[in-house]
Amino acid sequence: MAKADILDLVIIGSGPGGLTAGIYAARATLNTVIAEKGIAGGQVTTSDEVENWPGTQRINGSELALNMAQHVQAYEVDTISREVAEIIPGEDCHRARFDNDEILETHTVILGTGGSPRKLDIPGEEEFYGKGVSYCAVCDGFFFRGKTVVVVGGGDSACEEAAYLAKLADKVYIAHRRDQLRATRLLQKRVLETENIEILWNTVLTAIEVKGDDGVGAVALQDTVTGDTRSLDTDGVFVFIGFVPNNSVVPTGVELSEEGYVVTDEKCETAIPGIYAIGDLRYKFARQIITAAADGCTAALAASHFVEHKKDQQS
Ligand code: NAP
């Protein structure tokens, strides 16, 4: 890492937003560090096919993430593979404390920690995680070749992942709590036209059960209209019911929405000057790869102005 007393920018998270911020920060010659606890790309890496990244009709999610990471590397932006435990806002500078207690001082921070899959919170979900319960079709779909799976949810993720699983599994049920899907029309059409996908309308899971060996064997279902209950045999359960924001390092003083998303202005700046939030962590209308990238661009340009202004004042 290039040594400097106070960095210009620390970007936390290297999803599409963080990586785009890295590119713009490098081009603005900001002395930048990207901190990432997992792998570069974030949630995009769990997508089999991305079909709405302009200029590329279809690309595997991991490949897109790799392209973005390589693009950042070409600018030689420093990266640290560690978890940031805390952001400590300050007047002179902000501080990012890592889980090994190392501290980086920085004029600006971009929070791009994204979200994690929302859980059903029903009996068996935690117990069978990795033994039939999954939140990632690309990661685990292979184990369900020729089998039966239940996908939970009615949004873009549930439909996209169900269509992917239908290429591997014999039978895919989509259990959705309402009588209408939330997903975009194109994805709705895709699942409705796939022969081995059956939608269980007005249906919620109330438990995940074992049958025979120690893996998932069945799910307990309830009709949300009639209240009727039944059991359905299945080898796996894939849960895609949205995301919860990863806001644990968001410092006190930053405004959060009711659901825990970070509220920012149009520059992606939070209530604390010099601290920005981007991507799925940010309170906004559309959470897409392209809107995360757009946020990354906006926040990096705003951070650049902030740093310039601060240095002008100090000189
Ligand atoms: P989402 O759009 O929030 O949809 C979540 C789905 O799960 C909804 O159908 C919801 O039902 C259902 N649900 C929520 N809580 C539930 C519970 N406790 N029990 C049962 N069902 C529950 O989430 P997402 O599909 O993960 O998408 C997240 C964001 O990423 C969206 O903005 C989406 O457009 C975007 N995305 C885009 C693409 C793409 O462009 N190709 C792909 C994936 C995701 P209700 O409908 O009744 O609320």
Side-chain angles (χ1 to χ4, degrees), residues 43 47 49-52 118-120 152-161 175-178 180-184 187 203-205 240-243 280 285-288:
Q43 280 168 49
S47 267
E49 280 181 355
V50 174
E51 296 174 312
N52 47 14
R118 179 176 284 129
K119 306 277 164 51
L120 283 165
V152 190
D156 285 338
S157 299
C159 290
E160 209 166 66
E161 305 304 318
H176 183 38
R177 63 183 178 182
R178 290 189 292 134
Q180 253 187 344
L181 294 169
R182 176 182 291 278
T184 49
L187 290 171
T203 301
V204 290
L205 273 64
F240 303 107
I241 57 167
F243 287 85
D280 286 3
F285 172 65
R287 294 200 174 79
Q288 301 281 313

Side-chain angles (χ1 to χ4, degrees), residues 52-81:
N52 47 14
W53 183 250
T56 311
Q57 275 192 9
R58 190 163 290 165
I59 185 167
N60 173 267
S62 295
E63 196 184 337
L64 179 60
L66 186 66
N67 290 348
M68 289 182 182
Q70 284 172 344
H71 195 159
V72 177
Q73 278 161 18
Y75 286 108
E76 297 179 346
V77 179
D78 288 323
T79 56
I80 294 184
S81 301

Side-chain angles (χ1 to χ4, degrees), residues 154 174-182 188 191-192 198-204 222-225 230:
I174 297 179
H176 183 38
R177 63 183 178 182
R178 290 189 292 134
D179 62 356
Q180 253 187 344
L181 294 169
R182 176 182 291 278
Q188 290 192 28
V191 296
L192 292 168
E198 182 179 335
I199 304 188
L200 308 171
W201 300 107
N202 302 318
T203 301
V204 290
Q222 182 163 41
D223 189 304
T224 55
V225 178
R230 69 181 173 111

Side-chain angles (χ1 to χ4, degrees), residues 120-124 204-209 219-222 229-230:
L120 283 165
D121 282 333
I122 56 171
V204 290
L205 273 64
T206 53
I208 297 168
E209 298 164 347
V219 284
L221 303 177
Q222 182 163 41
T229 58
R230 69 181 173 111

